[in-house]
Amino acid sequence: APVYQERLRDMGKWMGVNGEAIYSSRPWTYQNDTVNHDVWYTMKANGNGKDVYAIVLKWPKTGTLTLGAPIASASTTVTLVGYKGGAFNFKATGQQGIVVTIPPIDFTDMPCQYAWSFKLTGLSN
């Protein structure tokens, strides 16, 4: 197949996994993260407030993902869209920012090959 067909199929597969971070979303307070320039944000309203999506363009090599913009609350959860393994642990880095601990994930369990969407619920901002 020509390369453009392959790219369109790949984009369709990506949207099949990550579409919730794109469709019916709008810009969040921060478009790009304040400390990690490989992270872009979208958001959408839910029944209780809003869900924020951190779209990560480069997979973290250290097992942690540092985000400078979110302000965590007691009800904050962090999940990887399309991943069946449940919520990830995280720690606040002060008044603003979180560090997400990413467990080892087998490549067969990765929801997509690039541009991963982390769903942040229950943020204070």
Side-chain angles (χ1 to χ4, degrees):
V3 70
Y4 65 87
Q5 286 180 341
E6 181 180 343
R7 288 184 181 152
L8 284 173
R9 282 190 200 108
D10 287 346
M11 186 180 294
K13 288 178 193 173
W14 187 88
M15 289 296 287
V17 172
N18 297 284
E20 73 175 86
I22 305 299
Y23 296 119
S24 301
S25 70
R26 60 186 184 143
W28 186 43
T29 307
Y30 297 87
Q31 179 180 356
N32 185 236
D33 193 63
T34 57
V35 297
N36 187 336
H37 299 290
D38 293 319
V39 176
W40 295 83
Y41 292 105
T42 63
M43 64 152 296
K44 66 170 62 172
N46 66 28
N48 307 351
K50 65 181 176 279
D51 296 325
V52 174
Y53 297 88
I55 302 170
V56 178
L57 303 181
K58 292 183 182 176
W59 188 257
K61 295 179 181 180
T62 62
T64 59
L65 173 63
T66 301
L67 301 173
I71 300 174
S73 73
S75 63
T76 298
T77 61
V78 179
T79 56
L80 177 60
V81 174
Y83 176 63
K84 306 294 187 224
F88 295 161
N89 294 324
F90 69 91
K91 290 185 180 181
T93 59
Q95 288 187 329
Q96 186 168 5
I98 61 173
V99 176
V100 180
T101 302
I102 302 172
I105 302 172
D106 190 82
F107 76 95
T108 60
D109 294 329
M110 290 297 284
C112 57
Q113 297 177 342
Y114 36 75
W116 303 267
S117 300
F118 287 81
K119 183 177 182 178
L120 313 172
T121 60
L123 293 177
S124 294
N125 61 340

